[in-house]
Amino acid sequence: KKADMSVSRFPLIPVRGIPLMSLIAKNWDSIWAFRPEPSDLLIATYPKAGTTWTQEIVDLLFHNGDAEACKRVPTHVRSPFLEIFCPPPIRSGLDQLKEMDPPRIIKTHLPFQLVPPGFWENKCKAIYVARNAKDNLVSYYHFDCMNMTQPDPGPWEGYIPKFMRGELAWGSWYDHVKGYWMEREKRNILYLFYEDLKENPRREVERIMRYLDLSVSDEVVSQIVELTSFKNMKENPMANYSCISAAVFDQSISPFMRKGEVGDWRNHFTPEQSKMFDEDYVKQMKEVNIPFRTLI
Ligand code: A3P
């Protein structure tokens, strides 16, 4: 594939203290001004927590498990990424959303305080997916190696402290998971865990279905669980990001659908790194008790 010279590893620029890709920071006012419709659904995550998986489950629920309907176009077209701005020909999330009728399934990685206030004013539903810090970090490391629009991750041992200090794109994982956790009751946010989805996808699909006030048959739930297995999504060209140019996502470095497991951190952290990470984790998470699991 021909290299697109306009793609580069964009620097991060802070927006109200949160490091974001420079193109997002430059367009911040238009993102903040976005007005959703009350029927729109927000899927919010820290990067690499299970966004694509949840987008696929939700699209299938909206389409009563119709696999063909959900292969109409790739994930990022079916479910636009609210704040994304890339060089042309890649269209911004805002431009895509303008052309779609509600209810739209809108993806964001913005921390709670940066979500456009229109979502809460219009009482939009929102699903938050959280993944345990160590697996989330490992997944983000591999993603930063292959995503040519984000800063170079550098060596693994230096990446861990960057994550701990909140210097990666979209900021601190700790503040992100805490921000939505504190607001979940007030804003009626469905707060899910990647580990729960892995452990019992059927239970979680049904939980999402009830939250969305949808009702599909048991058979359709089984079909959705099957269609959204790691293996099936990895092979689905409309869910595995294979349509994105290799100049942007170089999947020869690391596939988007990389491993899809809980506990892969054990293959990356040395015992010393794990100890140092855990000690800091206790400090950063002391004011909340979010039931994360690093193994299932
Ligand atoms: P790994 O890098 O650990 O494999 P996001 O969609 O938020 O970018 O998250 C991507 C992560 O979710 C990747 O994790 C990817 O493999 C995993 N993932 C995507 N679809 C999945 C599925 N159906 N089942 C399990 N994990 C999935």
Side-chain angles (χ1 to χ4, degrees):
K1 288 173 187 167
K2 191 165 139 264
D4 182 345
M5 296 315 287
S6 58
V7 168
S8 64
R9 290 186 174 274
F10 299 106
L12 302 178
I13 295 181
V15 172
R16 293 192 230 160
I18 305 296
L20 298 174
M21 274 169 65
S22 53
L23 283 172
I24 297 179
K26 279 186 195 127
N27 289 284
W28 181 250
D29 291 347
S30 62
I31 297 165
W32 183 249
F34 175 73
R35 296 290 305 178
E37 293 293 324
S39 62
D40 288 334
L41 170 71
L42 189 66
I43 296 180
T45 54
Y46 188 75
K48 313 319 285 177
T51 330
T52 317
W53 192 4
T54 309
Q55 286 172 289
E56 195 67 23
I57 291 171
V58 168
D59 195 33
L60 280 159
L61 279 168
F62 276 142
H63 288 88
N64 197 36
D66 185 337
E68 289 318 305
C70 295
K71 286 180 183 164
R72 62 198 184 279
V73 283
T75 309
H76 67 282
V77 182
R78 284 182 279 145
S79 171
F81 187 178
L82 176 64
E83 66 268 26
I84 205 65
F85 273 86
C86 281
I90 304 172
R91 295 168 68 230
S92 71
L94 295 180
D95 277 348
Q96 278 177 262
L97 285 164
K98 266 185 217 136
E99 289 162 20
M100 291 172 78
D101 295 322
R104 296 164 295 187
I105 306 167
I106 305 174
K107 159 185 164 180
T108 188
H109 289 322
L110 294 171
F112 181 82
Q113 73 277 16
L114 292 189
V115 171
F119 281 95
W120 316 120
E121 285 158 18
N122 280 339
K123 300 203 177 338
C124 292
K125 287 186 181 171
I127 299 176
Y128 186 76
V129 191
R131 185 177 192 182
N132 81 75
K134 284 166 157 172
D135 281 329
N136 205 141
L137 186 164
V138 166
S139 184
Y140 208 174
Y141 173 73
H142 290 284
F143 184 64
D144 275 344
C145 291
M146 65 81 97
N147 180 348
M148 299 304 156
T149 68
Q150 293 204 168
D152 192 305
W156 162 252
E157 59 276 14
Y159 193 79
I160 302 175
K162 282 187 213 166
F163 180 96
M164 290 164 51
R165 292 193 297 256
E167 290 169 6
L168 306 178
W170 285 281
S172 159
W173 174 93
Y174 311 86
D175 292 347
H176 208 283
V177 298
K178 284 189 278 188
Y180 284 90
W181 181 258
M182 319 265 218
E183 295 286 342
R184 73 195 191 287
E185 280 161 6
K186 184 170 174 211
R187 309 293 182 179
N188 183 31
I189 297 166
L190 180 68
Y191 200 102
L192 302 176
F193 294 94
Y194 180 96
E195 294 75 25
D196 291 349
L197 270 159
K198 276 302 279 190
E199 181 181 64
N200 191 339
R202 181 172 194 102
R203 179 188 63 206
E204 300 306 304
V205 169
E206 287 175 346
R207 200 195 294 271
I208 297 170
M209 176 188 81
R210 285 193 300 273
Y211 175 74
L212 297 176
D213 289 314
L214 296 170
S215 150
V216 305
S217 68
D218 286 352
E219 201 191 335
V220 168
V221 171
S222 305
Q223 199 175 310
I224 294 176
V225 168
E226 178 62 21
L227 289 166
T228 57
S229 70
F230 178 73
K231 184 175 174 292
N232 280 330
M233 283 186 60
K234 190 177 172 76
E235 287 165 7
N236 177 355
M238 294 303 164
N240 66 14
Y241 281 101
S242 54
C243 55
I244 300 279
S245 149
V248 179
F249 285 174
D250 189 342
Q251 300 213 32
S252 69
I253 296 174
S254 178
F256 189 92
M257 296 291 169
R258 190 186 61 90
K259 227 168 184 181
E261 283 172 8
V262 177
D264 187 38
W265 62 269
R266 289 171 299 174
N267 301 316
H268 291 76
F269 284 73
T270 65
E272 294 72 35
Q273 287 169 345
S274 187
K275 183 166 178 285
M276 182 247 334
F277 188 88
D278 291 349
E279 283 170 5
D280 173 75
Y281 184 93
V282 172
K283 288 183 202 147
Q284 297 218 45
M285 299 296 279
K286 65 178 181 305
E287 67 273 48
V288 285
N289 188 14
I290 312 180
F292 279 109
R293 293 186 291 167
T294 52
L295 294 172
I296 53 171

